[in-house]
Amino acid sequence: MTAGSSPPLDLAALIADPDTRIIVCCGAGGVGKTTMSAALALAAAQAGRQVVVMTIDPARRLAQSLGLERLDNTPRDVPAAAELTAASGGHLQAMMLDMKRTFDEIVEAHSEPARARQILENPFYQALSSSFAGTQEYMAMEKLGQLRETGNWDLIVVDTPPSRSALDFLDAPHRMSRFLDGTMIRLLSAPGRAGGRVYLKVVGAGLAIFGRIINKILGGQLLKDVSHFVGALDTMFGGFRQRAQATYDLLRQPGTAFLVVAAPEPDALREASYFVDRLSSDQMPLAGLVLNRVHPSTAPGLSAGRAEGAAENLSPGNSRNDVLAASLLLVHAQRSRTDAQEQRLARRFASAHPDVALRSVPAAAQDVHDLDALRQIGAHLTTPVPPLRKTKTRAKRASVRPTA
Amino acid sequence: MPTSPAWPAARLHVVTGKGGTGKTTVAAALALALAHGGRRVLLVEVEERQGIAQLFDTPPLPYEERRVAVAQGGGEVRALAIDVEAALLEYLEMFYNLKRAGRALRRMGAVDFATAIAPGLRDVLLTGKIKEAVTRQVKGARAYDAVVVDAPPTGRIARFLAVTEHVAGLAKGGPIKTQSDGVMAVLRSSQTAIHIVTVLEDMPVQETADAIAELRRIGLPVGSILVNMARQPLLPLNAMARAATGRLDSTAIAASLSHAGLDGESLAGPLLLEAADHAQGWQAQLACRARLKELNRLTYELPELQGPIDTGSLYELADVLTRAGIR
């Protein structure tokens, strides 16, 4: 039976392969994507790679588990990892995307100092660069391109923003082009350059009506700020578009691997399906799916129903040990049902995406607090792919077990 | 559990939470609970995921307010999935009588610009539409008794709600400024309560604390903490500590299991491992509950339901909220 059994995902081989240069982790929020990125980066450094992991808005705890008080826009050594990576000659650095800082740097790098200052002080720019949704995706793309350009690392692991818009960065170059080649930019930049009748000449009488509409909606002052901003950015936008396109192309190269992370829950897997479809329609290289926090049963031979029956036989009025044993059986019954449901969800995903390689990572009872916990997750991620026989056994077992 | 809500005046319930905590499910259950006893509630979705349609097992929602559930006592929940582009065109029509111009704007790529490239505008439109639903009057009466929003996650909630203020700060005058001021006035008033959904795990609890601090800092009204998927203890409480550290008597357990007709010898080990997992999880839950208590907010707890969540589960959870005094 092939339906429902996915090819195994060999992450050890992926991170050891010197041709793997970029790994992008994506998935719905709350599935452990950031932890996964950090664990994988650590495992790669342990395997001898020169690694930087770029996280996006990590929980403070993750920074702390890396032994860093905080992360910022510059890659920093993870001192605690040095001991683990020393033997292999690998190296781990970590950073957190600061979208405002990244945006500022682009402005500074691509404009005359006077003009750069003008842009940085523009109120519209300040709002756009620090507080608006969407900017993060563009800046993640930009930063990735920058990190790659320096050549300081032979592997870059990237975490993505926690939402469906995580894949918005794939649209960045396209949107940028549409924007730059469209009439909007002319409209928006025109009033900043000129006013009144000259404006009419610049945009043409046919477009003037839009200017009026926009003026009406935005109000004069805001329109002026926006158009000054767009006007000032005009020269820089071209380069921005080119770089976005270059990064997009880079992502499609074989040296890139996308990993979709999901929890064994219907919502998260639905999102995972969306990501998988989106990546394949953009011809992005998908390495596979990591099913995080699964709850495998340690006594798969004992069904939930039988466990409950036995528990009933033991209670009540019997010895303290019987009561305890009965409760253990109930714990098992619940675990076993969870396990069955998770496997069913995984099979369903596999039937819909038979070519997508899959690997499960068991849930830890406690959260990740330190580097050692990250190392353990990394070890789980990179355990050797089970030999074919074992895969078959699992599929067979799954197929004969009754559905709960 | 508290017996009366601390937000008696609230009509706009904004539900946020870390990803994976079941925010959409809790928002839907809250909407059902608020509809209890004949009230009209609007449940709003802003992230274009069609999560509400899936929960209520209906086809994808169009951009219109549609009844998705009937609550006890004749109340009803309507749902609205806000489509940003449609909201923009509606906005242009409503405030500027510009419907035809809107269509022309779309042709020019202006709608694209507004909804995708100028990302803040998107949130302005969403919060604007929410405010409209909250304040809408039909024949002199409120259109809805309550509006529940399945809002963006905690990491983005402050930015989402305050976006209008940023825009208002940019526009020194003009219609956007007036519009933004109106939205912020509703969001800052006692009409609004922002609830935070969490599960009893470290990171979501930490994010809950961070979100409360941030919302308070910018002066937005925090409602309650809604704990979702609280696990029930399956082991005797006095055995939890020993189970967690593997100190239960495995020989005695094996004997009892055999007594029940099972292969006690080989099962005791694996079952004790599963029990240790359960007990450690239980202890971690207790620690999280203690941390939440320090936050000093009204807290409601919803149990973890076994099996997949369906419409029936929503009524089950709504019932828990109703019994806890939410109305």
PDB file of all heavy atoms in Angstrom, chain B residues 191-202:
ATOM      1  N   GLN B 191     -16.358  50.170  25.484  1.00  0.00           N
ATOM      2  CA  GLN B 191     -17.121  49.295  24.590  1.00  0.00           C
ATOM      3  C   GLN B 191     -16.271  48.132  24.107  1.00  0.00           C
ATOM      4  O   GLN B 191     -16.784  47.163  23.572  1.00  0.00           O
ATOM      5  CB  GLN B 191     -17.539  50.074  23.338  1.00  0.00           C
ATOM      6  CG  GLN B 191     -18.709  50.994  23.503  1.00  0.00           C
ATOM      7  CD  GLN B 191     -19.098  51.558  22.140  1.00  0.00           C
ATOM      8  OE1 GLN B 191     -19.756  50.910  21.359  1.00  0.00           O
ATOM      9  NE2 GLN B 191     -18.660  52.768  21.865  1.00  0.00           N
ATOM     10  N   THR B 192     -14.959  48.290  24.209  1.00  0.00           N
ATOM     11  CA  THR B 192     -14.050  47.288  23.654  1.00  0.00           C
ATOM     12  C   THR B 192     -13.373  46.476  24.754  1.00  0.00           C
ATOM     13  O   THR B 192     -13.017  47.019  25.797  1.00  0.00           O
ATOM     14  CB  THR B 192     -12.972  47.988  22.796  1.00  0.00           C
ATOM     15  OG1 THR B 192     -13.609  48.687  21.746  1.00  0.00           O
ATOM     16  CG2 THR B 192     -11.980  46.993  22.215  1.00  0.00           C
ATOM     17  N   ALA B 193     -13.229  45.175  24.531  1.00  0.00           N
ATOM     18  CA  ALA B 193     -12.424  44.327  25.418  1.00  0.00           C
ATOM     19  C   ALA B 193     -11.551  43.431  24.547  1.00  0.00           C
ATOM     20  O   ALA B 193     -12.055  42.759  23.654  1.00  0.00           O
ATOM     21  CB  ALA B 193     -13.327  43.487  26.315  1.00  0.00           C
ATOM     22  N   ILE B 194     -10.246  43.470  24.796  1.00  0.00           N
ATOM     23  CA  ILE B 194      -9.329  42.637  24.021  1.00  0.00           C
ATOM     24  C   ILE B 194      -8.977  41.409  24.853  1.00  0.00           C
ATOM     25  O   ILE B 194      -8.368  41.524  25.921  1.00  0.00           O
ATOM     26  CB  ILE B 194      -8.053  43.417  23.655  1.00  0.00           C
ATOM     27  CG1 ILE B 194      -8.444  44.694  22.914  1.00  0.00           C
ATOM     28  CG2 ILE B 194      -7.121  42.559  22.814  1.00  0.00           C
ATOM     29  CD1 ILE B 194      -7.344  45.733  22.873  1.00  0.00           C
ATOM     30  N   HIS B 195      -9.406  40.245  24.389  1.00  0.00           N
ATOM     31  CA  HIS B 195      -9.175  39.006  25.129  1.00  0.00           C
ATOM     32  C   HIS B 195      -7.984  38.272  24.540  1.00  0.00           C
ATOM     33  O   HIS B 195      -7.791  38.266  23.323  1.00  0.00           O
ATOM     34  CB  HIS B 195     -10.400  38.104  25.057  1.00  0.00           C
ATOM     35  CG  HIS B 195     -11.666  38.797  25.441  1.00  0.00           C
ATOM     36  ND1 HIS B 195     -11.906  39.248  26.718  1.00  0.00           N
ATOM     37  CD2 HIS B 195     -12.750  39.148  24.711  1.00  0.00           C
ATOM     38  CE1 HIS B 195     -13.101  39.826  26.755  1.00  0.00           C
ATOM     39  NE2 HIS B 195     -13.621  39.791  25.550  1.00  0.00           N
ATOM     40  N   ILE B 196      -7.226  37.631  25.420  1.00  0.00           N
ATOM     41  CA  ILE B 196      -6.049  36.928  24.937  1.00  0.00           C
ATOM     42  C   ILE B 196      -6.187  35.435  25.192  1.00  0.00           C
ATOM     43  O   ILE B 196      -6.388  35.004  26.320  1.00  0.00           O
ATOM     44  CB  ILE B 196      -4.788  37.501  25.600  1.00  0.00           C
ATOM     45  CG1 ILE B 196      -4.700  38.975  25.214  1.00  0.00           C
ATOM     46  CG2 ILE B 196      -3.543  36.765  25.129  1.00  0.00           C
ATOM     47  CD1 ILE B 196      -3.821  39.790  26.062  1.00  0.00           C
ATOM     48  N   VAL B 197      -6.114  34.677  24.097  1.00  0.00           N
ATOM     49  CA  VAL B 197      -6.233  33.227  24.203  1.00  0.00           C
ATOM     50  C   VAL B 197      -4.842  32.642  24.419  1.00  0.00           C
ATOM     51  O   VAL B 197      -3.877  33.047  23.770  1.00  0.00           O
ATOM     52  CB  VAL B 197      -6.838  32.623  22.912  1.00  0.00           C
ATOM     53  CG1 VAL B 197      -6.962  31.109  23.034  1.00  0.00           C
ATOM     54  CG2 VAL B 197      -8.186  33.253  22.625  1.00  0.00           C
ATOM     55  N   THR B 198      -4.745  31.712  25.351  1.00  0.00           N
ATOM     56  CA  THR B 198      -3.464  31.053  25.564  1.00  0.00           C
ATOM     57  C   THR B 198      -3.707  29.587  25.869  1.00  0.00           C
ATOM     58  O   THR B 198      -4.829  29.180  26.155  1.00  0.00           O
ATOM     59  CB  THR B 198      -2.665  31.724  26.705  1.00  0.00           C
ATOM     60  OG1 THR B 198      -1.356  31.128  26.773  1.00  0.00           O
ATOM     61  CG2 THR B 198      -3.351  31.536  28.052  1.00  0.00           C
ATOM     62  N   VAL B 199      -2.664  28.798  25.759  1.00  0.00           N
ATOM     63  CA  VAL B 199      -2.716  27.443  26.288  1.00  0.00           C
ATOM     64  C   VAL B 199      -1.732  27.416  27.446  1.00  0.00           C
ATOM     65  O   VAL B 199      -0.932  28.347  27.614  1.00  0.00           O
ATOM     66  CB  VAL B 199      -2.341  26.382  25.231  1.00  0.00           C
ATOM     67  CG1 VAL B 199      -3.418  26.280  24.174  1.00  0.00           C
ATOM     68  CG2 VAL B 199      -1.001  26.698  24.587  1.00  0.00           C
ATOM     69  N   LEU B 200      -1.774  26.369  28.261  1.00  0.00           N
ATOM     70  CA  LEU B 200      -0.926  26.344  29.450  1.00  0.00           C
ATOM     71  C   LEU B 200       0.462  25.819  29.099  1.00  0.00           C
ATOM     72  O   LEU B 200       0.879  24.754  29.531  1.00  0.00           O
ATOM     73  CB  LEU B 200      -1.598  25.506  30.545  1.00  0.00           C
ATOM     74  CG  LEU B 200      -2.889  26.147  31.085  1.00  0.00           C
ATOM     75  CD1 LEU B 200      -3.656  25.183  31.966  1.00  0.00           C
ATOM     76  CD2 LEU B 200      -2.588  27.440  31.837  1.00  0.00           C
ATOM     77  N   GLU B 201       1.167  26.596  28.265  1.00  0.00           N
ATOM     78  CA  GLU B 201       2.553  26.280  27.925  1.00  0.00           C
ATOM     79  C   GLU B 201       3.371  27.564  28.049  1.00  0.00           C
ATOM     80  O   GLU B 201       2.838  28.663  27.925  1.00  0.00           O
ATOM     81  CB  GLU B 201       2.646  25.761  26.482  1.00  0.00           C
ATOM     82  CG  GLU B 201       2.098  24.360  26.319  1.00  0.00           C
ATOM     83  CD  GLU B 201       1.913  23.995  24.854  1.00  0.00           C
ATOM     84  OE1 GLU B 201       2.573  24.618  24.004  1.00  0.00           O
ATOM     85  OE2 GLU B 201       1.094  23.106  24.570  1.00  0.00           O
ATOM     86  N   ASP B 202       4.688  27.384  28.247  1.00  0.00           N
ATOM     87  CA  ASP B 202       5.568  28.523  28.528  1.00  0.00           C
ATOM     88  C   ASP B 202       5.467  29.671  27.532  1.00  0.00           C
ATOM     89  O   ASP B 202       5.213  30.804  27.909  1.00  0.00           O
ATOM     90  CB  ASP B 202       7.027  28.063  28.565  1.00  0.00           C
ATOM     91  CG  ASP B 202       7.360  27.400  29.890  1.00  0.00           C
ATOM     92  OD1 ASP B 202       6.429  27.323  30.739  1.00  0.00           O
ATOM     93  OD2 ASP B 202       8.497  26.960  30.072  1.00  0.00           O
TER      94      ASP B 202
END
